Amino acid sequence: RRGRRADGGGAFLQGWAGGYPEIVKENELFERYYRELGIVPAGEWDAFMAALREPLPATLRITGYRSHAKEILHCLKEKYFRELQDLEVDGQKVEMPQSLSWYPEELAWHTNLSRKILRKSPQLEKFHQFLVSETECGNISRQEAVSMIPPLLLNVSPHHKILDMCAAPGSKTAQLIEMLHADMNVPFPEGFVIANDVDNKRCYLLVHQAKRLNSPCIMVVNHDASSIPNLQIDVDGRKEILFYDRILCDVPCSGDGTMRKNIDVWKKWTTQNSLQLHGLQLRIATRGVEQLAEGGRMVYSTCSLNPIENEAVIASLLEKSQGALELADVSSELPGLKRMPGITKWKVMLKDGQWFEEWKDVPSNRQTQIRPTMFPVKDEEKLKAMNLERCLRILPHHQNTGGFFVAVLIKKSPMPWNKRQPKVHQKLPRRTGDTEVTAGNSDNGSDCIIEEPTLAENEESKKMQELQNSDTEQSKKEGVCGPPPSKKMKLFGFKEDPFVFLPEDDPLFLPIQKFYALDPSFPKMNLLTRTQEGKKRQLYMVSKELRNVLLNNSEKMKVINTGIKVWSRNSDGEQFGCAFRLAQEGIYTLYPFIHARIISVCIEDVKILLTQENPFLSKFSSETQKKVKDMAMGSIVLKYDPDPEKPDDLQCPIVLCGWQGKTSLRAFVPKNERLHYLRMMGVEVFKAKRKEEELENKTEEVQHRLAQTEEGMDVEDKEHDSVTKMEAEIGEESSQSPVESSAMEIENKIEDLDQSSENANTHVSQESKDTDVSNVKD
């Protein structure tokens, strides 16, 4: 607009069209620093710098534990990649996506397609929409290639207790959850992931990432990683400290390995960033190894190339561990990954370009900026025993990636400053404000020995512990895990609702158990709600191990989120025998325990369920009609099992939540999940961009209207309630056919909202209204 007002001023218009001035990818200090350190092999410097100036390829990872992983991979290779094979955009051949050679089972891919190119071709736009939709479903994750390495090197098994210390935004956490659920037939793995982040807002980003994977074994907490509290668990009636089998310690860093993605780093880079972060990184890593179980594995990683943030931290940690830690040799793991060994010699540079080779050379006025732990160990024997070459550094030009550093630590014995502590801490930790002060977390990383408490101290601490426990004992009996009582913690972030476990004798559960014929082995003690008073609207579920953690640590943990939704209240549900309907996000966890209200459907039935909003029973196969004939109205499970004799059909099982009415059968599945299943079955679901934009505008209008009229009510619940009422009102008398739609047309029904609200008495208009509500939720 401003360009037009300039009355044809060409220079002005060009300046406006050009946008912000391009950042010059030059930094003399950066080049001088890394040339001097010699982390890049001789003769490769130009290639290294050239790679840093190139944009980073986009990489994606297919969620590996899902039974659909192979189907998605097949769909990608046989459909989308084939369509790109001979494609040209602006006279240039489109480069084919390539799998990452070192990632197992071809589940990770990279492509040089930019957003600009993606908009220029219908085939590319189709591919882009596929990626966006599958990402929202949790079947694909957009993740930088080097970021995938730390979880792989953790060697996670489903029984491991895992701590992710600096987890946001959550792509690595998602990988860890996948590994826990390696066997899809086990709904509750013994292990769990506690994902922590210091930033309250970023914790909610973490929740969003984790929720896509629908796991009952993930808990998101909000703490400073350098002082994350010791947690206790109940082991056969005894309180024991929780030690983790695996810890991911991906610390905050200067990020100079991300220059290809974060262009700002070019002009902002200075050695000062690393000097300021070193102390924090060492404190976080120290806190991590303190909480690691003996024999456990901790991966320390940064997206920085700087030895001050990498080898210096690891060397300092190894030195003060006095043999309790060792670097694992992972040279044979991830074959195909090109890596450089860790370095043993480096120097420290100030931002003015001044170098220091030893701590004794640092003038006193610089000793607050530079610490002794930043320098390499001088004792050759000690240095050799550390095996720093076992660390690995990824250089951008070797495999067209970002820069990265990884070290894998094994804990052989307790840390020296913890050796004298009893197994169960009787002595309460010292506190500064509300932050637990931990041994070995001093700024300079010096050794800190905790003396064994005297008998008098033990007696006093026991009394204090009893007093503290008595305050929370009653709430634990009631299964209430409220937020920590600390005032300091409530000064920032959102106030979270408590986690209230369902009492064993809760009358709420009996009709649910009867209606769905739940197996006697169903762990009902793991059910929880987020409210202490009033009607329980949603029921969530966690694994028994996370229940143990929650009940024993509610006073010291700030829990942001845990559990998956398994049942939702349907206000008219009581008349059908159960007030709670099944929730799609928890169906794969619940399904093994349900013995009633399961309808096996063929692939044609699945297509009808996913492309039509409320199809009449007469639309379905005769086998399905027979199965539902004598079944009472209400929430149901719809199960598709693949037929090995029909290899062209979808070859992975599907479990959907549905609702059976008097005359119809429908699936309650979020939009992106619908589109996912349809794609896997070979149904074309691509929509042009213009229609998508029109839809978004209309959706916003509908959302605004609903927000005004349905204040305080869950939109998804409203959808189910309105369907129930509709079924009850229509009965067998309705003779009008329902509105049908293909997967591409489902969203377009929003246009009918105004007409349907004026004429709510007919089956057609009422169903259109339900469709509209469904789309808003989706």
Side-chain angles (χ1 to χ4, degrees), residues 157-439:
S157 293
H159 65 276
H160 284 149
K161 299 171 181 67
I162 307 163
L163 172 65
D164 190 350
M165 298 188 79
C166 309
S171 52
K172 296 183 189 73
T173 310
Q175 260 181 292
L176 297 173
I177 296 169
E178 287 177 37
M179 293 167 184
L180 280 184
H181 291 274
D183 185 353
M184 275 292 283
N185 297 318
V186 180
F188 294 102
E190 283 180 44
F192 55 78
V193 178
I194 293 180
N196 173 68
D197 203 85
V198 68
D199 188 316
N200 186 266
K201 287 178 183 173
R202 280 165 63 88
C203 280
Y204 290 91
L205 186 59
L206 192 52
V207 170
H208 172 73
Q209 279 275 41
K211 271 195 170 297
R212 298 179 310 132
L213 297 180
N214 298 331
S215 169
C217 305
I218 169 76
M219 181 191 290
V220 175
V221 298
N222 180 203
H223 288 278
D224 176 355
S226 65
S227 57
I228 193 166
N230 279 331
L231 301 184
Q232 289 186 336
I233 50 172
D234 194 297
V235 181
D236 301 324
R238 299 186 322 276
K239 292 281 174 67
E240 290 190 5
I241 290 174
L242 170 62
F243 289 101
Y244 300 94
D245 303 299
R246 297 288 185 267
I247 293 181
L248 181 56
C249 185
D250 186 53
V251 295
C253 65
S254 61
D256 59 21
T258 69
M259 281 179 153
R260 300 180 68 177
K261 182 175 67 173
N262 302 322
I263 301 173
D264 270 2
V265 178
W266 281 98
K267 62 179 182 181
K268 291 180 180 176
W269 190 91
T270 165
T271 53
Q272 193 66 23
N273 300 338
S274 297
L275 300 179
Q276 288 171 345
L277 285 163
H278 170 87
L280 173 65
Q281 291 162 340
L282 183 53
R283 290 196 300 277
I284 293 173
T286 304
R287 189 68 188 123
V289 294
E290 284 175 348
Q291 298 201 322
L292 188 63
E294 286 179 51
R297 180 179 271 224
M298 182 175 98
V299 169
Y300 175 90
S301 61
T302 73
C303 46
S304 166
L305 300 170
N306 201 325
I308 307 300
E309 302 176 64
N310 298 326
E311 284 92 347
V313 172
I314 297 300
S316 178
L317 198 55
L318 289 169
E319 187 174 24
K320 68 184 196 172
S321 77
Q322 298 174 18
L325 298 172
E326 73 170 9
L327 274 169
D329 182 359
V330 292
S331 56
S332 60
E333 297 181 37
L334 306 186
L337 177 67
K338 291 180 184 172
R339 62 196 97 184
M340 295 296 295
I343 60 175
T344 55
K345 303 288 180 193
W346 62 88
K347 297 185 288 184
V348 179
M349 183 205 261
L350 287 173
K351 64 179 178 182
D352 61 7
Q354 191 179 357
W355 288 99
F356 297 101
E357 293 198 24
E358 293 184 59
W359 166 248
K360 64 181 176 63
D361 299 334
V362 180
S364 56
N365 65 335
R366 296 293 194 181
Q367 288 183 2
T368 51
Q369 291 173 279
I370 299 178
R371 305 300 302 146
T373 51
M374 294 176 184
F375 292 90
V377 175
K378 288 296 173 191
D379 187 323
E380 288 295 332
E381 204 172 304
K382 265 189 185 179
L383 189 63
K384 190 179 178 185
M386 285 180 179
N387 296 311
L388 285 178
E389 70 283 350
R390 290 181 178 176
C391 301
L392 56 109
R393 183 178 270 99
I394 311 296
L395 297 179
H397 64 292
H398 282 165
Q399 278 177 305
N400 198 10
T401 63
F404 214 69
F405 175 88
V406 186
V408 182
L409 292 155
I410 307 287
K411 187 172 180 178
K412 296 160 72 180
S413 61
M415 303 309 288
W417 55 88
N418 291 136
K419 276 182 180 170
R420 294 188 181 184
Q421 285 182 283
K423 192 173 184 184
V424 180
H425 289 297
Q426 297 292 347
K427 191 173 181 181
L428 288 173
R430 293 177 291 117
R431 290 181 180 269
T432 306
D434 188 63
T435 306
E436 190 171 328
V437 178
T438 317

Side-chain angles (χ1 to χ4, degrees), residues 83-99:
E83 288 179 3
L84 306 182
Q85 210 157 12
D86 301 311
L87 190 65
E88 287 190 8
V89 176
D90 293 344
Q92 205 169 1
K93 196 173 186 302
V94 170
E95 194 176 321
M96 286 290 288
Q98 300 293 320
S99 65

